[in-house]
Amino acid sequence: MTATREKIWTVEEYHRMIEAGILTEGDKIELLDGRIVEMSAQTPSHAATTQRSSDYIKQLLAGQAHVRMQLPITLATSEPEPDIAVVCIDPGAYSDHHPNPSEILLLIEVSYATLQIDRREKAPIYSRANIPEYWILDVAAREAYIYRNPAPGGYQSEIVVADNAAIRMLAFPEIEISFSELFLPV
């Protein structure tokens, strides 16, 4: 009988594989808790919701934060590519590093067929990294999952709101975000 073990990669090893050309942009992968996993293909409604949400949030936060769409962030054991990352303004526009937890204000995943992965795999990763706020936009149900109060065991607050709700980001409490502007019109 042969025992096999899964190889857990560090962020540094992952970066070296990218630099060496072993992993390329065409691979459509991300590092989650040391595992290299394939990202799901995007449906038209996923892509359109991501674009609409990103455009809306960029408009609201112009000059106050960078809004990145489907670009890497670097955590201790992961380098995911969330659909939207609201991050602190960096004078170098993140030319020498990907945003890290101290620079991340909000992460948003747009979920069409990946709700369980976004809730059960990514939420704990983001919580352990102390990301203050994480939203999942469930395209099929037209609901948003709002996670706040990160702790090592997971987010301490989870609420689900309908697409007609509005919320204020923890980082920008003076700005109200209408979920009807994040989801596609019906």
Side-chain angles (χ1 to χ4, degrees):
M1 184 170 167
T2 304
T4 60
R5 293 187 335 211
E6 182 178 34
K7 167 68 174 146
I8 302 299
W9 302 96
T10 66
V11 171
E12 293 76 23
E13 290 169 328
Y14 182 69
H15 287 176
R16 285 198 304 266
M17 286 188 281
I18 293 168
E19 290 165 7
I22 296 167
L23 302 174
T24 67
E25 287 183 20
D27 288 327
K28 300 295 182 200
I29 55 167
E30 58 188 350
L31 184 69
L32 298 178
D33 269 346
R35 296 174 298 114
I36 298 172
V37 298
E38 282 188 61
M39 294 190 300
S40 298
Q42 291 187 32
T43 64
S45 61
H46 177 281
T49 301
T50 301
Q51 187 66 60
R52 178 181 172 92
S53 297
S54 177
D55 290 348
Y56 174 62
I57 293 170
K58 279 180 185 177
Q59 179 186 32
L60 291 176
L61 298 179
Q64 297 180 71
H66 284 305
V67 179
R68 296 166 51 100
M69 190 170 79
Q70 299 173 333
L71 296 172
I73 59 171
T74 301
L75 311 176
T77 62
S78 302
E79 195 161 280
E81 297 184 17
D83 290 313
I84 298 169
V86 177
V87 299
C88 296
I89 293 176
D90 179 67
Y94 295 100
S95 62
D96 62 348
H97 71 286
H98 298 309
N100 62 57
S102 68
E103 299 165 311
I104 298 168
L105 305 171
L106 167 68
L107 296 178
I108 301 173
E109 294 286 359
V110 175
S111 179
Y112 185 77
T114 60
L115 184 60
Q116 294 313 312
I117 292 168
D118 295 335
R119 291 185 71 208
R120 295 204 165 65
E121 289 186 42
K122 291 187 177 181
I125 290 169
Y126 296 155
S127 182
R128 283 192 306 274
N130 206 31
I131 305 301
E133 192 164 15
Y134 169 49
W135 299 354
I136 302 169
L137 303 180
D138 182 350
V139 174
R142 296 186 64 84
E143 295 177 329
Y145 291 76
I146 310 300
Y147 294 93
R148 292 176 169 171
N149 303 320
Y155 283 97
Q156 302 302 296
S157 172
E158 174 192 31
I159 59 170
V160 182
V161 298
D163 64 349
N164 63 350
I167 196 165
R168 296 178 187 277
M169 279 180 55
L170 293 175
F172 299 101
E174 68 281 3
I175 298 173
E176 184 173 88
I177 296 177
S178 170
F179 284 103
S180 64
E181 295 298 323
L182 300 178
F183 288 100
L184 298 173
V186 283

